[in-house]
Amino acid sequence: MAPKHNNMVFDSHFHKDWQRYVKTWFNQAGKKKRRRTRRLEKAKAIAPRPVAGLLRPVVHCQTIRYNARVRAGRGFTLDELKAAGINKKQALSIGIAVDHRRKNRSQESLQANVLRLKEYKSRLILFPRKASKPKKGDSTQAEIDVATQLTGPVLPIKQTWSDTTARAITDEEKKQSAFQTMRMYRANVRLVGVREKRAKEAAEDDGLGVKKKKK
């Protein structure tokens, strides 16, 4: 920008020592190969268990903007494990993540994760700790022979969208008022204690045979 009026001419320094601040990334290919090698080593170390790790539950995202979407959660609740018939101590040993802090806020999410656990249990091939002494619940030798390591995600989560389409508003819906319904609901919640107190006093007065004077 050129100077204006009778002012000093700028002495701009554009010849900076930019070479000091350039960051190179010549080890990109080497790091890529190293990551791949580590992934293969990890898969080999945990075989025949799935490469992706533990089974995670289906949970809804936070906030109104994203709560229609589902994602993988931290772990299954104790209620979900109980409904699926899985012991919480046994769950981690068979590749199921457990989160004792999460709570089920709806019956739908509980049933969805219970079905997920049951499907996982039906596909599970459980290797015995000692091949010579298999325990109850362990897989048969024929199932063990055909077992392969799962490289992809364990029971991948799919987004489900409702296929609702536009339609005409009915006369019954036109008569209803959402504002009035919410207003009455809030009033009922706010006055529940007052109404219970009045009902209790009225019941006590009826029991004693006391008649209230009309004003």
Side-chain angles (χ1 to χ4, degrees):
M1 183 176 176
K4 293 181 179 178
H5 311 296
N6 190 19
N7 292 321
M8 181 180 67
V9 179
F10 298 138
D11 187 14
S12 301
H13 299 276
F14 291 115
H15 298 283
K16 306 291 184 183
D17 190 12
W18 59 270
Q19 289 89 345
R20 291 170 55 193
Y21 307 106
V22 172
K23 185 174 182 180
T24 59
W25 196 16
F26 298 126
N27 61 348
Q28 180 180 8
K31 282 194 171 184
K32 181 181 178 182
K33 184 178 180 181
R34 197 178 307 154
R35 287 194 300 267
R36 176 175 170 78
T37 306
R38 285 178 179 176
R39 284 197 298 269
L40 293 173
E41 288 175 357
K42 181 183 176 182
K44 188 177 179 181
I46 66 173
R49 289 174 288 177
V51 175
L54 303 175
L55 176 70
R56 305 287 177 179
V58 178
V59 298
H60 283 267
C61 299
Q62 294 180 351
T63 71
I64 296 173
R65 183 173 182 180
Y66 300 107
N67 63 4
R69 294 177 58 84
V70 290
R71 63 174 179 84
R74 183 182 180 87
F76 291 90
T77 63
L78 301 181
D79 292 334
E80 290 167 354
L81 293 171
K82 186 177 180 181
I86 300 172
N87 188 3
K88 62 182 180 180
K89 291 185 178 180
Q90 184 197 10
L92 278 173
S93 66
I94 59 175
I96 299 173
V98 182
D99 186 7
H100 64 88
R101 293 169 294 187
R102 188 167 72 84
K103 297 178 182 178
N104 292 107
R105 304 293 183 184
S106 65
Q107 192 66 24
E108 289 81 2
S109 67
L110 175 67
Q111 290 297 327
N113 283 316
V114 168
L115 291 174
R116 187 172 170 83
L117 284 169
K118 288 181 178 179
E119 184 182 359
Y120 175 79
K121 200 174 177 181
S122 65
R123 297 185 183 185
L124 183 67
I125 297 177
L126 199 60
F127 282 62
R129 289 182 179 273
K130 287 186 76 174
S132 58
K133 293 182 179 180
K135 293 184 178 180
K136 183 182 179 182
D138 293 339
S139 299
T140 60
Q141 188 61 41
E143 292 175 337
I144 293 172
D145 293 339
V146 298
T148 57
Q149 189 178 28
L150 183 65
T151 55
V154 183
L155 296 180
I157 298 171
K158 297 178 182 179
Q159 299 293 333
T160 55
W161 308 104
S162 59
D163 54 350
T164 55
T165 56
R167 60 176 179 81
I169 301 172
T170 61
D171 295 334
E172 186 180 351
E173 289 173 343
K174 288 180 181 179
K175 293 176 183 177
Q176 293 177 353
S177 173
F179 172 77
Q180 192 66 26
T181 305
M182 292 174 68
R183 187 183 177 90
M184 289 299 298
Y185 180 77
R186 290 195 189 100
N188 292 336
V189 172
R190 187 176 67 251
L191 299 173
V192 63
V194 177
R195 288 172 178 170
E196 286 180 358
K197 184 179 178 182
R198 287 177 184 171
K200 187 177 180 182
E201 290 176 353
E204 290 175 355
D205 292 343
D206 291 341
L208 296 172
V210 178
K211 293 182 179 180
K212 290 185 177 181
K213 294 181 180 179
K214 293 183 179 180
K215 292 184 179 179

